[in-house]
Amino acid sequence: MRPIPFDSQFAQHLDAMGLSLGAQGLRHVHPDTAFEAPVTLIGADVWRDKVSIGAFSYICADSVAASARIGRYCSISENVRIGMTGHPVNWLTTSPVSYVSDFMNFERHFGDSIPGWRRGLARREFEIRPETIIGNDVWIGCDVYIRDGVTIGDGAIIGAHSVVTKDVPPFAIVVGNPGRILRYRFDEALIERLSALAWWDYAILDFDGWDVRDVAGAVGALEEATAAAAVERYSPAPVNLCDEFDRFLQVRQLFASADAA
């Protein structure tokens, strides 16, 4: 993790690139964390591990995402938890002391207070935060918990206060604790067309004259447009935050040198 100070100048620099991240002060950023523009974070915490977020997605206040790949056009409400760390449930203990070195400084306590003390318990391998995948055009309501390693399919909806511990199929509507499929947004045939079309690969704001309320009509129009090569996929280069901060520092240094001269 790399410490990056999000001062007003760097925040304005990112905002001009279409990344409104709402970060202030020092953040420790994973070297592979990257976003597609435009993206907006409204007081969300995505700084605990590697996170990627696709274009046209936003995350609201007090939500947390860790070791997560979030697609395009996602709407993530307040106080959502995505990819939180699990614990072993079939070991002698669920405590991370069995697989994390000096967890919470517990080992240091004994090392500092007992001369010659050393750990006897062997550390075992346990996968911490396997990647959680949120597809494209996913709507997640407030106060939702999504277990690490879960995949939420494209077009799915997760109702408020749900607890999701298993994969969710594309275009399913999931509610409850534990989460269960209430129904699907569309019939099977339309879901197959939507999945094959992957409309989220395009900038929906360019769909001139299309009515998003008429799903079948919009799908048909895009199918015809793609067949005629009349639309282009939206393909912005992902912005790696650590790399972009390095470029920002280089430019700022150049301006400072020019002013000094």
Side-chain angles (χ1 to χ4, degrees):
M1 303 292 282
R2 177 179 176 184
I4 294 180
F6 282 80
D7 60 16
S8 59
Q9 288 183 328
F10 187 48
Q12 291 172 5
H13 171 77
L14 293 175
D15 192 65
M17 300 178 68
L19 302 177
S20 181
L21 304 186
Q24 296 180 348
L26 188 68
R27 294 290 185 270
H28 289 81
V29 181
H30 191 283
D32 294 327
T33 288
F35 305 146
E36 284 184 333
V39 158
T40 294
L41 306 181
I42 310 169
D45 177 359
V46 297
W47 315 114
R48 303 185 183 194
D49 209 328
K50 175 184 176 181
V51 172
S52 64
I53 305 177
F56 303 100
S57 291
Y58 67 91
I59 307 178
C60 291
D62 300 319
S63 289
V64 178
S67 187
R69 176 155 40 104
I70 300 170
R72 295 178 172 184
Y73 297 95
C74 288
S75 304
I76 301 175
S77 190
E78 294 87 356
N79 202 35
V80 172
R81 297 293 182 269
I82 298 173
M84 296 296 95
T85 305
H87 294 247
V89 297
N90 55 358
W91 293 12
L92 174 65
T93 176
T94 61
S95 172
V97 299
S98 60
Y99 54 88
V100 177
S101 296
D102 198 22
F103 180 74
M104 296 293 182
N105 297 325
F106 293 159
E107 291 179 41
R108 191 178 309 173
H109 165 74
F110 292 101
D112 291 346
S113 59
I114 303 176
W117 181 89
R118 67 176 183 83
R119 177 184 176 121
L121 181 68
R123 281 181 288 274
R124 302 302 177 184
E125 292 295 323
F126 180 74
E127 186 177 11
I128 300 175
R129 290 199 188 117
E131 186 177 50
T132 302
I133 299 174
I134 310 297
N136 302 283
D137 194 39
V138 174
W139 172 25
I140 302 175
C142 65
D143 299 307
V144 167
Y145 176 92
I146 299 175
R147 180 180 178 177
D148 57 349
V150 164
T151 295
I152 309 295
D154 296 324
I157 296 174
I158 311 299
H161 308 286
S162 297
V163 174
V164 181
T165 60
K166 298 179 180 179
D167 292 352
V168 174
F171 297 96
I173 300 176
V174 168
V175 298
N177 179 10
R180 61 181 179 82
I181 297 176
L182 180 65
R183 63 180 178 88
Y184 286 85
R185 292 175 59 192
F186 310 113
D187 61 50
E188 185 175 349
L190 187 53
I191 288 174
E192 289 181 0
R193 291 174 66 192
L194 283 162
S195 298
L197 188 62
W199 66 261
W200 39 83
D201 286 348
Y202 303 86
I204 196 173
L205 299 177
D206 293 335
F207 292 175
D208 186 23
W210 298 6
D211 188 346
V212 295
R213 298 170 298 181
D214 178 8
V215 179
V219 168
L222 186 54
E223 287 171 337
E224 292 178 3
T226 55
V231 291
E232 294 184 1
R233 283 179 168 80
Y234 181 64
S235 304
V239 178
N240 178 290
L241 287 187
C242 291
D243 292 346
E244 191 58 37
F245 183 66
D246 287 336
R247 283 189 285 270
F248 169 75
L249 290 180
Q250 291 172 2
V251 171
R252 185 158 68 177
Q253 183 60 42
L254 288 174
F255 276 106
S257 299
D259 290 341

